[in-house]
Amino acid sequence: MAELEAVIGLEIHVQLATKTKMFCGCELSFGDEPNVHTCPVCLAHPGVLPVTNEQAILYALKIAAALECEVAPRSIFHRKNYFYPDSPKAYQISQYDIPIASNGRLGDIRIHRAHLEEDAAKMIHVGDSGRIHGSGASLVDFNRGGTPLVEIVTEPDLRGAAEAAAWARLLRETVRQLGVSDVNMEEGSLRVDANVSVRPAGSDELGTKTELKNMNSFRFLERGMEAELARQRELIEAGGTIVQETLHFHPEDGTLHPLRSKEEAHDYRYFPEPDLVPIAPTEQMIREARESLPELPAARATRYEGEMGLPQDVAALLAADPETAGYFEQVAGSASDIEPRVVANWVTGELAAALRQDGGEVTAAESKVESGALALLIGMVQEKKISHGSGKTVLATLVAEGGDPEAIVEREGLAQISDSGEIESIVAAAVEANSEAAEQILSGNQKAIGVIVGAVMKETKGRADGGEVNRLIKKQLGL
Ligand code: ADP
Ligand code: ZN
Ligand code: MG
C-alpha cells in the first residue's frame, strides 16, 4: 500500500485583550469571582441591543495585516443558533459567508479566513459527569460570555503533527507580538482545534477528517495529533474507513474519545444579525493596522537566514522571542568582526544552557550577562585567548554575578597556556601516565585519545586549546 501522508488544518480561537466585551461594556477578566462581569446585554435580557466594540475590529485588522489577508470592505455578523447553557441568547454572534479577513498566509501555510465572533460563557461541570441524574451539576460562569474572539482557519496545508505544532507556536508568537491577545493556552485565551486526516502520499484528494478539541498546551496538541494520525493509519492499513467525528483529547492519559454524536449534530441555521451594522473598515484603518506591525517572527527569521546566514532552525528559534532576538542583535552588533552564526550559537547554545543551569528564571536579555560582555567573551574564545571550556566557565560566572569577562579570566587564571613548551611537557607526562590508552591509540583506537586529552585538561584546568592538545599527543606518539 502507498505510504500515507498526514494532512492537517488548524482552527485557532484567539481571545482579544480588549478592555470590554464584544457587544457590551462589561470588563474582560480572567480568574475573577464568577458572574461579576455581566450586564443585561451579555446575559441576553429581552430587548437589549448589542453594539460592536471598535477596538476588537482594530485588533482583527492587525491580525489580518500580520497574516497578509485581504480585508472585506463590508462584512456582516450572523447568528449561529444553538441551544446550550453557555449561550443565554441561544445563538452566538459570529461571521458566516463574508469574514472580515481571508486568503492570507503565515510562512508557507495559507490562511483560509479569519472572522470576528463572541466567546461563550464557561461551563464548570462538578461531581458525577455533571448530568442531572447523577450527583453532579453544571455551573455557568458568564464572565467569559461575550469576550471578543478572532477565529483563524488555515487551509489543510500542514503535513505532520510536529510541523503543525511548530506552526501553531509561530502563530502564537506572531499574535502575541501584535499585542492583541494574551495567547495563553492554559487560560484559554488561545485555543487550537486540529482537523486531521491521512491520504496516499502525493494524492490531491483529501481523506475523511476528524476534529480534535481540548488541547490546552502545545505539547498536548502535538501528542493529540500524533495519536490520531497513528490511529487513522492503522485503521486504513487494516482495510477500515475513517468516520468523520469530533474527538476530545484527554491530557491525563493522552487518549482521544469521540463526543457523543448528539452533541455534534449541528444545524446552526445561520442568518444575518439584524441588530448590528456591517463592519466597513476604511482604507485608513486598514493602512494604519498594516503600518503598526512590528517586525514579526517570520520576517525576522527570514532576515536572519538571508542577511546573517543563520541556519533555519537557529533563525526561527531566535526570532520567536523578540527580547532574545534583540539581545542577539546587540551582541552581534558589538562583535562585528565575529560571524553572526557563531554569536547565534553562543546565545541559543552556551548561554541558554548556562541560564538553565542557573535555575532558568531569567531570559538572556534579563540576565546579568551584558551584551557587550558576551561579545568580548566570544571574541576571546575565537581568538584562542581562552579555551572553549574556559569560555563556558567564564559564562557561568557572568550569569551568576555579571561583570567583565577579561577581569574574570585574569582573576581565575583562565588565560590559555600559549607556551607550547609548557603544554608539550604536560602532554608528555600525560602520555606516560596513561600508557594503556597510548597503546590503544597506537593500535588504531582513535577514541582512546579522549583519556589523554582529559588528563591534560585536568592538569591545565582547561586552559589548553583542545585542537592543539590533540595535535601534540599524536606528535608525542609519533603519529
Ligand atoms: P468543516 O465544514 O467541517 O468545519 P471546513 O472545510 O470548514 O470543515 O474546514 C475546517 C478546517 O479543517 C480547516 O482548517 C481546513 O483546512 C481543515 N480541513 C478540511 N478538510 C480537511 C481534511 N480532509 N483533512 C485535514 N484538514 C481538513
Ligand atoms: Zn455585558
Ligand atoms: Mg468550519
Side-chain angles (χ1 to χ4, degrees), residues 103-174:
N103 295 328
R105 62 170 54 249
L106 177 66
D108 298 332
I109 306 306
R110 292 170 302 157
I111 305 294
H112 178 58
R113 59 183 278 160
H115 67 251
L116 273 163
E117 60 186 28
E118 59 177 338
D119 208 346
K122 189 173 183 171
M123 302 286 298
I124 301 153
H125 304 288
V126 293
D128 172 22
S129 79
R131 309 243 166 258
I132 219 80
H133 299 296
S135 56
S138 290
L139 307 174
V140 190
D141 175 4
F142 286 97
N143 286 349
R144 196 183 73 180
T147 297
L149 293 179
V150 166
E151 179 178 342
I152 299 164
V153 183
T154 76
E155 296 293 347
D157 287 350
L158 296 148
R159 291 290 170 270
E163 186 195 349
W167 185 86
R169 283 195 166 91
L170 173 67
L171 177 71
R172 180 181 61 166
E173 266 318 303
T174 302

Side-chain angles (χ1 to χ4, degrees), residues 386-406:
I386 59 173
S387 67
H388 195 98
S390 297
K392 290 207 244 180
T393 309
V394 175
L395 191 55
T397 307
L398 286 174
V399 164
E401 52 198 53
D404 168 24
E406 278 174 343

Side-chain angles (χ1 to χ4, degrees), residues 21 23-27 37-43 142 145-146:
K21 292 187 182 180
F23 300 113
C24 65
C26 288
E27 198 188 312
H37 301 294
T38 60
C39 74
V41 174
C42 56
L43 291 176
F142 286 97

